[in-house]
């Protein structure tokens, strides 16, 4: 039996946009925004029955296996003991008062992290960043 990671791996290089893993607490309207307006390749866990109820650590590991930056609103990912930074493909923990602000933050992350000239496919690999209305803060 093949894993989800092995099934999705052949499709990994097909997208030209940033590859992100959106966990269950990202609103579906925001996921649509990432896909349509920002042209991101988004794996949204809510759309996959086998991932919908997975534990955070499983999402963390799968994002790395699939080579996707984890995008979340869940501050639990800031715990380095449970989620070691060097074992990640990169994590952005967003904090926004509503979906409109979250979309603004995503636009800014698109410009400042993912679309920077010469940026690697996983610009935050091995790092975590908290991003709120004031912008990115020190490593989460």
């Amino acid at each position: 039996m093949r894993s989800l990671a092995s099934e999705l791996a052949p499709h990994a290089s097909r997208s030209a946009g940033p590859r992100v893993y959106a966990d269950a607490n990202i609103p579906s309207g925001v996921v649509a925004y990432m896909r349509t307006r920002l042209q991101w390749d988004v794996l949204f866990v809510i759309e996959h029955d086998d991932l919908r109820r997975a534990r955070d650590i499983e999402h963390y590991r799968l994002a790395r296996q699939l080579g996707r930056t984890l995008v979340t609103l869940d501050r639990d990912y800031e715990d380095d003991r449970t989620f070691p930074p060097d074992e990640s493909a990169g994590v952005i923990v967003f904090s926004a008062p509503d979906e409109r602000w979250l979309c603004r933050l995503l636009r800014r992350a698109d410009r400042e992290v993912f679309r920077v000239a010469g940026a690697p496919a996983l610009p935050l690999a091995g790092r975590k960043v908290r991003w709120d209305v004031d912008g990115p803060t020190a490593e989460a």
Side-chain angles (χ1 to χ4, degrees), residues 70-86:
L70 178 63
V71 175
T72 184
L73 297 169
D74 186 349
R75 293 189 63 185
D76 290 347
Y77 287 103
E78 294 178 358
D79 180 353
D80 289 348
R81 291 173 305 208
T82 305
F83 306 101
D86 62 335

Side-chain angles (χ1 to χ4, degrees), residues 64 69 85-91 120-128 139:
R64 180 179 177 153
T69 301
D86 62 335
E87 294 178 15
S88 81
V91 178
L122 291 171
L124 297 174
R127 297 177 27 216
K128 300 179 197 177
E139 301 290 309

Side-chain angles (χ1 to χ4, degrees), residues 25-120:
N25 60 27
I26 299 291
S28 60
V30 173
V31 171
Y33 178 84
M34 287 188 272
R35 289 175 173 158
T36 59
R37 294 288 305 270
L38 299 177
Q39 298 294 298
W40 290 5
D41 176 352
V42 182
L43 186 151
F44 185 33
V45 301
I46 294 298
E47 297 170 341
H48 301 274
D49 290 336
D50 52 340
L51 295 179
R52 185 181 297 242
R53 299 195 199 304
R55 297 176 326 180
D56 288 347
I57 193 66
E58 294 172 50
H59 293 303
Y60 192 73
R61 290 177 181 149
L62 187 56
R64 180 179 177 153
Q65 287 175 345
L66 296 174
R68 292 176 176 271
T69 301
L70 178 63
V71 175
T72 184
L73 297 169
D74 186 349
R75 293 189 63 185
D76 290 347
Y77 287 103
E78 294 178 358
D79 180 353
D80 289 348
R81 291 173 305 208
T82 305
F83 306 101
D86 62 335
E87 294 178 15
S88 81
V91 178
I92 303 177
V93 179
F94 286 99
S95 178
D98 55 38
E99 287 187 28
R100 185 178 61 101
W101 266 104
L102 182 53
C103 288
R104 285 183 183 176
L105 297 178
L106 289 163
R107 262 194 325 268
R108 188 166 170 202
D110 186 56
R111 285 189 317 267
E112 296 179 18
V113 174
F114 295 111
R115 307 283 185 177
V116 174

